Amino acid sequence: MTQEQSVGIVVPQTAHFSTPLPLKSGGALPEYDLVYETYGTLNAARSNAVLVCHALSGSHHVAGVHADTGTVGWWDNLVGPGKPLDTGRFFVIGVNNLGGCYGSSGPNCINLATGKPWGADFPFVTVEDWVDAQARLADQLGIERFAAVVGGSLGGMQALSWTLQYPERVAHALVIASAPKLTAQNIAFNEVARQAILKDPEFHGGHYYEHGVVPTRGLALARMVGHITYLSDDAMGQKFGRTLRHDKPVFSYDVEFEIESYLRYQGDKFAGFFDANTYLLTTKALDYYDPAFDYDGDLVAALGRAKADYLVVSFSTDWRFAPSRSREIVYALMHSDRRVSYAEIDCPAGHDSFLLDDAQYHSVLRAYIDNIKL
Amino acid sequence: MSFQRYDYDVISNWIEPGERILDLGCGDGSLLRYLQDRRQVRGYGVEKSPEGVLACARNGVNVIQIDLEQGLAGFDDGFFDHVIMSLSLQAMRNTQGILKEMLRVGHEAVVSFPNFAYWRHRQAILNGRMPVSKNLPYQWYDTPNVRFFTIADFETLCEQEGIAIRERLAFDEDKVIVEEPNFLASVALYRLGRNDAAGG
């Protein structure tokens, strides 16, 4: 086995598209940019491409390091030479989704029709729209068919959707810590997050850019709620417990318990770089995703057109995207006669487990990916 | 491994090419691999242990990591042609439940298990020791087996549960045992069906 290495310094690229993209919400984006990164080399047969789809707060920066900021990719432990998704063998692509805030066209970009930032006027984009946009990027890169499409959480929904929207263009889908659709409880958490942003006085109906302000309080609150749901009760208990900053109650609303400090820090940090409109759009994309909607809720019927092979992975302590939700995907795929394997990883870290390098998790990914024929 | 291949051959002969197969407690997936290569089955394994799941992924067979003691909720009635449980029934606590589930999701079930009444096992008991043999390789204190039963016991249970025994093959190592299997056979393989269903 090659020793695991980093892909090293990486530089994002931008692809411009001037053919309008029809959107599920009606209308179309007249033109748009997608920012992306690639790792490894596309082989002569163009058969070794793997697309990595990001989740709520992710980006095109999947692996390697940005020279200017030193930022390491969000799935660097998975992607690189000798790593489970081995860039010595595969040509890996990460792309920032439409509506994002990392360089792809989104609410914080200029709307050419008005000369002002899109803000709240940026159209609603869905998982299906993202996949359509990714497919156009694949066209531009000369990739007819992906060896695999990989994603966790919302990224897993994109991987699943790829196999339904472009069945001929995906050989394998790796759907990790995901769900075939959100539950009411899951939508409820997203709604709390959205209300926190929408009710922030500095939101200005989504046109805060023009006012020179950012609804940081709402965005930080949204992130705090999200963070609670990404961790397991046990993990939070183990990491923070009831530890008090002053060793005893001081009867104040300032930070006393360590968990308060952690959540505030995470919220403020996130509000410092993420865009509130992107957060709103992305949580709605999560809520709307339901491939069985047009099939009277029959997921088996919805998956009927799929042709890919699948690996589905869940984590024992993930309650935001619980193992039972992954099993729904697995059983529906099996009953559609798709080849599918399912691993339920015993990992204490909750939903965030999918970003960690748990030994069993990465071994299963490696074993499955190693068997992908090019 | 000669016995194991024999076991695989018998199971393979009970299966038509291209069938949908479910292998419960599939371990490293080698039986499924064998059936995939020989019978071009569309196979899925069920395995609880992380080691087994990883081995299946390496073996290139479909594996679903769930705990069989929870039953097969999520599996549609009659979806599989054959549901197999090879040398694992004795390690299941919910014996009646799983047999019922096998015949719910499959048209037929294939079950094999070590025969506790095999003469060498009887001899061990007569000598005052729990049997340890090729098919019961564990010590009493580290065995994963939780049910100890014989060919006669199993057939009584089938009758009681309305399970039709469509075929039985008993073995001592790789020799077929026809006479006195409950005494002379170390392992038995069964092809089972539902009593109310048409014979197969």
Side-chain angles (χ1 to χ4, degrees):
Chain A
M1 198 194 301
T2 327
Q3 208 190 334
E4 294 195 3
Q5 292 166 34
S6 165
V7 297
I9 303 290
V10 291
V11 180
Q13 302 171 70
T14 303
H16 182 75
F17 300 84
S18 43
T19 310
L21 182 77
L23 300 173
K24 209 179 170 189
S25 57
L29 261 183
E31 56 180 308
Y32 54 95
D33 288 339
L34 288 178
V35 60
Y36 66 99
E37 287 179 6
T38 68
Y39 324 101
T41 311
L42 187 62
N43 63 12
R46 298 173 176 272
S47 63
N48 68 334
V50 173
L51 177 68
V52 176
C53 303
H54 69 76
L56 215 175
S57 57
S59 71
H60 54 284
H61 186 31
V62 176
V65 188
H66 284 168
D68 48 352
T69 59
T71 314
V72 176
W74 57 270
W75 221 348
D76 191 70
N77 61 22
L78 185 79
V79 180
K83 291 182 180 173
L85 184 45
D86 188 347
T87 51
R89 190 164 173 243
F90 293 99
F91 176 64
V92 180
I93 303 168
V95 50
N96 186 213
N97 284 326
L98 279 179
C101 54
Y102 291 107
S104 291
S105 296
N108 63 356
C109 301
I110 299 295
N111 177 358
L112 293 177
T114 63
K116 289 195 273 190
W118 279 95
D121 297 333
F122 195 86
F124 278 90
V125 282
T126 62
V127 167
E128 289 83 353
D129 299 329
W130 288 335
V131 168
D132 284 339
Q134 290 159 3
R136 289 187 176 185
L137 178 64
D139 294 341
Q140 206 173 93
L141 296 173
I143 295 156
E144 179 53 40
R145 188 169 189 253
F146 282 108
V149 179
V150 184
S153 191
L154 177 56
M157 290 172 165
Q158 293 160 62
L160 181 63
S161 203
W162 254 99
T163 66
L164 306 179
Q165 290 174 250
Y166 299 96
E168 314 288 346
R169 299 188 69 173
V170 194
H172 295 266
L174 283 74
V175 180
I176 301 165
S178 196
K181 60 175 187 277
L182 293 193
T183 57
Q185 186 196 45
N186 218 323
I187 294 169
F189 283 118
N190 283 343
E191 174 59 4
V192 173
R194 281 191 296 266
Q195 285 301 322
I197 294 168
L198 293 167
K199 292 220 159 82
D200 187 315
E202 299 195 310
F203 182 63
H204 296 290
H207 294 287
Y208 45 87
Y209 318 98
E210 296 161 41
H211 293 79
V213 292
V214 178
T216 47
R217 278 168 294 180
L219 188 53
L221 265 179
R223 184 61 169 177
M224 286 167 82
V225 172
H227 237 289
I228 297 168
T229 70
Y230 304 148
L231 295 175
S232 69
D233 190 14
D234 278 355
M236 206 181 260
Q238 241 165 37
K239 203 164 169 184
F240 307 104
R242 293 180 48 86
T243 309
L244 284 161
R245 192 158 262 201
H246 313 287
D247 295 330
K248 60 176 201 280
V250 294
F251 304 99
S252 131
Y253 292 115
D254 289 336
V255 167
E256 284 197 76
F257 292 95
E258 282 303 333
I259 182 63
E260 297 173 326
S261 162
Y262 173 78
L263 283 179
R264 290 187 196 193
Y265 171 76
Q266 290 295 338
D268 291 344
K269 190 175 83 170
F270 187 71
F273 65 82
F274 206 77
D275 182 72
N277 281 315
T278 292
Y279 202 89
L280 292 174
L281 278 179
T282 309
T283 55
K284 284 303 267 189
L286 267 163
D287 293 0
Y288 289 132
Y289 186 64
D290 180 7
F293 188 83
D294 291 333
Y295 295 83
D296 288 329
D298 185 347
L299 189 58
V300 176
L303 298 177
R305 70 215 125 114
K307 294 199 161 119
D309 293 352
Y310 297 80
L311 175 66
V312 179
V313 179
S314 75
F315 299 90
S316 54
T317 56
D318 183 354
W319 56 279
R320 184 88 198 248
F321 289 81
S324 58
R325 310 305 319 285
S326 281
R327 286 198 294 268
E328 285 175 42
I329 300 175
V330 171
Y331 293 134
L333 287 169
M334 186 186 76
H335 291 129
S336 305
D337 278 326
R338 299 319 317 152
R339 286 181 52 84
V340 55
S341 281
Y342 169 62
E344 190 174 314
I345 309 295
D346 193 9
C347 183
H351 187 54
D352 274 349
S353 301
F354 88 87
L355 295 168
L356 306 181
D357 63 350
D358 175 89
Q360 170 75 4
Y361 170 41
H362 271 204
S363 296
V364 168
L365 291 184
R366 185 187 289 278
Y368 186 87
I369 292 168
D370 281 353
N371 275 333
I372 293 177
K373 291 186 181 64
L374 300 183
Chain B
M1 296 306 276
S2 67
F3 169 75
Q4 198 182 31
R5 299 309 297 238
Y6 206 81
D7 180 33
Y8 287 11
D9 278 348
V10 171
I11 294 171
S12 173
N13 286 335
W14 284 343
I15 283 163
E16 298 292 323
E19 281 192 0
R20 284 190 188 131
I21 300 295
L22 184 63
D23 182 7
L24 303 180
C26 67
D28 66 2
S30 52
L31 172 60
L32 271 178
R33 182 80 248 173
Y34 184 80
L35 295 175
Q36 231 165 263
D37 295 343
R38 259 189 75 148
R39 284 281 184 266
Q40 294 74 48
V41 299
R42 189 172 276 282
Y44 301 85
V46 168
E47 176 60 34
K48 186 173 73 169
S49 78
E51 303 74 25
V53 169
L54 182 54
C56 285
R58 289 186 176 135
N59 239 331
V61 301
N62 300 317
V63 63
I64 297 173
Q65 188 172 20
I66 54 170
D67 181 2
L68 278 179
E69 297 285 4
Q70 314 294 320
L72 294 171
F75 290 72
D76 286 353
D77 292 0
F79 184 73
F80 292 96
D81 298 296
H82 280 99
V83 180
I84 302 168
M85 188 178 263
S86 169
L87 298 174
S88 294
L89 189 63
Q90 75 283 356
M92 292 281 308
R93 206 162 278 284
N94 186 9
T95 316
Q96 287 150 291
I98 197 64
L99 285 171
K100 208 176 203 171
E101 281 287 80
M102 289 175 79
L103 287 168
R104 176 181 69 79
V105 305
H107 291 286
E108 283 194 334
V110 171
V111 169
S112 67
F113 57 85
N115 176 29
F116 201 75
Y118 177 49
W119 68 273
R120 287 183 195 276
H121 299 160
R122 296 187 194 203
Q123 197 175 45
I125 296 277
L126 282 176
N127 287 335
R129 303 296 298 268
M130 283 298 278
V132 176
S133 67
K134 194 173 171 191
N135 291 297
L136 289 174
Y138 303 96
Q139 295 295 335
W140 64 273
Y141 48 81
D142 66 4
T143 180
N145 299 329
V146 294
R147 300 283 183 231
F148 300 93
F149 55 100
T150 70
I151 289 176
D153 290 332
F154 182 72
E155 294 186 2
T156 304
L157 179 68
C158 287
E159 198 177 337
Q160 192 184 304
E161 297 288 313
I163 295 169
I165 295 172
R166 303 227 166 113
E167 215 167 327
R168 179 191 74 201
L169 279 171
F171 296 95
D172 183 9
E173 299 295 317
D174 58 357
K175 281 196 315 287
V176 177
I177 302 295
V178 179
E179 301 292 328
E180 298 286 346
N182 201 38
F183 185 64
L184 296 174
S186 56
V187 166
L189 282 91
Y190 288 83
R191 192 163 65 81
L192 306 170
R194 291 178 289 245
N195 255 343
D196 52 353

